[in-house]
Amino acid sequence: MTKLYFSEMNNLTNAHNDLEPEKCQLNYNFDTKNLDKDRGSQSKCEPHQIRQRKYKCGTIPSIVSGLIFLSMGFFSTKLTITDMILTERIKMQSWFPSYKLWVEPEPEVRLNTYIFAVENANEFLSGTDSKIKLKQIGPIVYREHLQNQDIVRHDNSTLSYTAHRWAEFLPHANKPGILNETITVPHYGVLAAASFANEHNYLVQIGYNFLHRRYSDGLFINITIYDYLWNFRSKLLEKAWEVVPSMIPILNCGALDVIYTNGPDRYNVKIGTKYGDSEFFQINTINGAPTVPGYNVKRGDCYASVANSSEGVAYRQRVTKEDVLTFWRRALCRKVDLHFEKELLIHDVLSYKYTLGPDVYDRNPNNETDCYKGAYGDLPNGLTDVSKCYYDMPLAESQPHFYGRSAEFTKKFEGLNANEETHSSFSIVEPKLGFPMKQAARSQMNLVIPKFSSFFEKDYHLFSDMVLPLFWIEVLQNDLTTEIVWLVGLVANVAPIIEVTLTFILYFIGFVLILTVIVRAFKSKWNHLATSKQINFPFVKRSSKTRDNYDNFN
């Protein structure tokens, strides 16, 4: 009897499963007593096609939305906020913040000047002392101002502008009355003129000696610091200029006056997406030529290129540790290379420090391409000729105190003490923007004195074959304004966080939408199987109608 009962039950279950689409209507035939009760259940039991249509209407938008968010997350990794900022920056649009900061740079740039005074002038001239005792005076502190004017954009993705620089004395940063202090220094104007005459024929040398005996101020001179920097004049030079103007190109040999009256310069630089990050703001020409001002290729001068260098106000973007930063400054009369040294944190911003090597002014192995070897014979390592930028005066630059090559030049001097911390040059750069966070350009001006001929008086021969240090300057950008720190920090620190967060949110929403569709599909499928096949899944809520119908089967 029991076997017969279960056999009938199985037949009834199979019949019920075969008529699944109509199961809601079939339930009414089992129990007429519960008709009213089952009608309430019928309202919850919709036809199969309607349920599928509703499922599709919810699924397709979720899938499409999920794919859209996933695509946005993917593209957010390819085109970041930083990319957009850097792309706009290289266009140099006038509305962009970095453009305004470039027109009138706000970081304070200090110009610190150090003068080599002589403590034993009389003893050296008399022969008592064989070496010149030098005493460093300074710093005499100025602020260097920069303003870029007459800005013109060109269709070939270049920008032209005129850079105006001038120095402002800072009383609060100097010792009171320092400009009025008197110092003893070599009369480098007279020595320079004598060196120049020494390279000409004996008639010029005899004429110069005649003027020296009559109008000379001496080979050492007592002068105020202000006059040394801005108003260094000589009766001898004035008379020589009246006789032979071509031999005396300038009358005022003031150290800073020569530097800052030698300009302004007109630059043409690369901008825009045509050149991209790697060539951003690199120099094409200065004053219409691709060479250092003062070098004229047409008259046979060496091709001293300035191409692909930077003024140091801004370097190219996305610099790496392997990159070499090429720096140009008028006072150096050339471009120089800076190499990566180490990482630093400046204002909580990761920055790269690039330094000028001790061999930067060494002779080029290919002598024919060495444009800075010297106008009157090859200079020794550690010196670079700057005569073309300073009226053909026999001048050469080195690192301060002959840093890196001091052993070759200190034999005739006392008081020179070179060290890396105070005498080397560097630039600390935020790598994404290529913005200088801190930098120091240090250079020393030297007078290159040849071996004087017998036409010159005895005192001159004391200076023969001498590289005479005159002064050195330090152009120091040490502090940034709050606005610049904020803008650099925004690009370097804040933007990457926003990018990562945004990408995570987009991917998260996309995955959630797709996962929701998958879970709904899985749950719907198993609910359908559980209801239609009577599979006993503990997580499926099953109606009690079937069991009631089975109970009423008799």
Side-chain angles (χ1 to χ4, degrees):
M1 187 67 180
T2 302
K3 292 181 179 180
L4 178 60
Y5 173 79
F6 280 107
S7 176
E8 292 295 335
M9 288 289 289
N10 288 335
N11 292 337
L12 180 59
T13 300
N14 292 335
H16 177 78
N17 291 338
D18 293 338
L19 299 174
E20 171 62 23
E22 300 174 0
K23 65 178 182 177
C24 297
Q25 290 81 354
L26 290 174
N27 285 340
Y28 294 117
N29 299 327
F30 288 106
D31 191 359
T32 57
K33 294 179 181 180
N34 296 325
L35 181 60
D36 294 335
K37 179 180 177 180
D38 290 341
R39 282 177 179 171
S41 300
Q42 183 185 10
S43 62
K44 300 178 183 178
C45 192
E46 299 174 342
H48 184 65
Q49 293 82 357
I50 296 176
R51 291 202 310 273
Q52 281 194 331
R53 190 180 303 116
K54 283 192 172 184
Y55 173 76
K56 290 180 179 179
C57 290
T59 300
I60 294 176
S62 296
I63 293 175
V64 173
S65 299
L67 292 175
I68 290 174
F69 276 102
L70 290 176
S71 299
M72 291 170 63
F74 174 77
F75 283 112
S76 70
T77 64
K78 300 300 180 182
L79 182 61
T80 63
I81 296 174
T82 302
D83 291 333
M84 292 186 284
I85 292 174
L86 297 184
T87 299
E88 289 302 318
R89 180 171 180 256
I90 63 176
K91 295 177 182 177
M92 290 298 287
Q93 300 291 342
S94 58
W95 57 268
F96 206 69
S98 61
Y99 176 87
K100 298 175 183 178
L101 292 173
W102 166 76
V103 173
E104 293 189 40
E106 293 185 1
E108 183 176 88
V109 176
R110 291 286 182 95
L111 174 69
N112 300 324
T113 306
Y114 300 84
I115 302 171
F116 291 112
V118 177
E119 295 185 302
N120 64 335
N122 293 329
E123 290 82 355
F124 179 75
L125 290 176
S126 64
T128 304
D129 292 343
S130 59
K131 293 184 178 181
I132 298 177
K133 295 180 180 179
L134 300 175
K135 180 182 179 181
Q136 179 174 284
I137 306 296
I140 302 96
V141 184
Y142 289 81
R143 178 177 181 180
E144 184 182 76
H145 294 271
L146 169 63
Q147 190 174 59
N148 296 309
Q149 301 176 348
D150 305 322
I151 302 166
V152 178
R153 299 176 185 276
H154 304 286
D155 294 335
N156 62 348
S157 291
T158 63
L159 183 77
S160 295
Y161 62 94
T162 301
H164 292 266
R165 284 184 167 86
W166 68 97
E168 174 193 3
F169 182 73
L170 299 179
H172 66 276
N174 287 278
K175 184 174 71 173
I178 190 171
L179 292 180
N180 295 321
E181 291 183 7
T182 299
I183 56 176
T184 301
V185 294
H187 199 319
Y188 70 86
V190 170
L191 288 169
S195 300
F196 186 83
N198 189 72
E199 302 301 325
H200 290 72
N201 58 54
Y202 70 95
L203 292 177
V204 173
Q205 296 176 24
I206 292 173
Y208 177 84
N209 272 306
F210 170 77
L211 293 173
H212 169 75
R213 286 191 295 269
R214 188 165 183 179
Y215 300 106
S216 176
D217 301 312
L219 299 185
F220 289 100
I221 185 173
N222 295 323
I223 190 172
T224 65
I225 290 178
Y226 175 83
D227 285 341
Y228 183 89
L229 296 177
W230 298 102
N231 191 35
F232 198 153
R233 297 177 181 272
S234 166
K235 292 180 182 179
L236 172 60
L237 296 181
E238 291 175 357
K239 292 299 180 181
W241 182 81
E242 291 176 2
V243 177
V244 190
S246 60
M247 194 177 75
I248 309 297
I250 56 171
L251 295 177
N252 185 357
C253 299
L256 295 184
D257 185 79
V258 171
I259 292 174
Y260 282 96
T261 58
N262 211 351
D265 292 317
R266 182 77 175 168
Y267 292 88
N268 179 265
V269 297
K270 303 171 184 177
I271 62 170
T273 55
K274 174 182 176 181
Y275 294 103
D277 297 320
S278 61
E279 296 184 82
F280 172 63
F281 232 72
Q282 292 188 351
I283 296 173
N284 282 318
T285 62
I286 301 177
N287 300 329
T291 53
V292 173
Y295 284 79
N296 190 334
V297 179
K298 293 181 179 179
R299 72 182 183 194
D301 291 342
C302 181
Y303 190 85
S305 174
V306 294
N308 301 322
S309 60
S310 168
E311 268 196 288
V313 178
Y315 294 99
R316 60 179 178 267
Q317 299 185 151
R318 302 183 193 275
V319 297
T320 66
K321 297 176 182 179
E322 290 73 30
D323 285 338
V324 176
L325 302 185
T326 304
F327 173 78
W328 150 264
R329 187 170 174 86
R330 186 62 132 98
L332 294 175
C333 194
R334 64 174 295 172
K335 62 181 183 180
V336 292
D337 292 337
L338 295 96
H339 299 269
F340 175 81
E341 180 182 286
K342 60 183 177 180
E343 293 183 355
L344 293 171
L345 276 179
I346 306 294
H347 297 290
D348 294 322
V349 174
L350 176 65
S351 305
Y352 294 167
K353 182 178 182 180
Y354 295 83
T355 56
L356 203 66
D359 60 346
V360 65
Y361 297 138
D362 286 356
R363 299 280 62 80
N364 191 327
N366 186 351
N367 193 270
E368 295 300 320
T369 62
D370 188 350
C371 297
Y372 313 103
K373 59 186 177 182
Y376 307 107
D378 290 358
L379 295 172
N381 288 335
L383 294 178
T384 179
D385 179 49
V386 296
S387 60
K388 297 291 184 182
C389 296
Y390 296 101
Y391 312 102
D392 289 322
M393 296 173 67
L395 298 172
E397 288 203 358
S398 66
Q399 301 202 61
H401 289 244
F402 300 109
Y403 165 69
R405 296 291 180 269
S406 58
E408 300 177 31
F409 304 104
T410 57
K411 296 178 181 178
K412 297 183 178 181
F413 306 102
E414 294 180 6
L416 296 175
N417 300 289
N419 66 81
E420 181 179 359
E421 182 178 355
T422 56
H423 299 142
S424 64
S425 298
F426 65 87
S427 184
I428 302 175
V429 178
E430 192 287 313
K432 292 180 182 177
L433 291 167
F435 186 85
M437 305 292 289
K438 182 179 180 180
Q439 52 186 350
R442 297 164 174 148
S443 60
Q444 176 177 301
M445 189 70 78
N446 308 282
L447 183 64
V448 181
I449 303 174
K451 183 177 181 179
F452 287 112
S453 70
S454 59
F455 289 97
F456 288 88
E457 295 187 358
K458 176 185 174 182
D459 289 352
Y460 280 95
H461 289 273
L462 296 172
F463 294 89
S464 286
D465 286 328
M466 180 183 291
V467 178
L468 180 64
L470 304 177
F471 62 91
W472 68 276
I473 60 175
E474 174 186 50
V475 182
L476 180 64
Q477 177 202 312
N478 205 15
D479 297 319
L480 300 176
T481 64
T482 303
E483 180 184 3
I484 293 175
V485 172
W486 185 85
L487 288 173
V488 174
L490 177 66
V491 176
N493 295 336
V494 179
I497 295 175
I498 296 175
E499 291 164 2
V500 172
T501 304
L502 178 62
T503 300
F504 173 79
I505 291 173
L506 292 172
Y507 272 126
F508 179 78
I509 294 175
F511 278 121
V512 166
L513 289 172
I514 298 296
L515 187 61
T516 300
V517 171
I518 295 173
V519 170
R520 285 174 57 191
F522 177 82
K523 186 175 181 180
S524 176
K525 179 66 177 176
W526 285 103
N527 279 340
H528 175 68
L529 291 174
T531 305
S532 62
K533 300 295 184 181
Q534 293 300 308
I535 302 175
N536 188 18
F537 291 106
F539 57 83
V540 178
K541 184 177 180 181
R542 194 177 299 143
S543 174
S544 62
K545 291 185 296 180
T546 306
R547 180 171 293 179
D548 292 341
N549 290 333
Y550 291 162
D551 293 340
N552 295 331
F553 182 68
N554 292 330

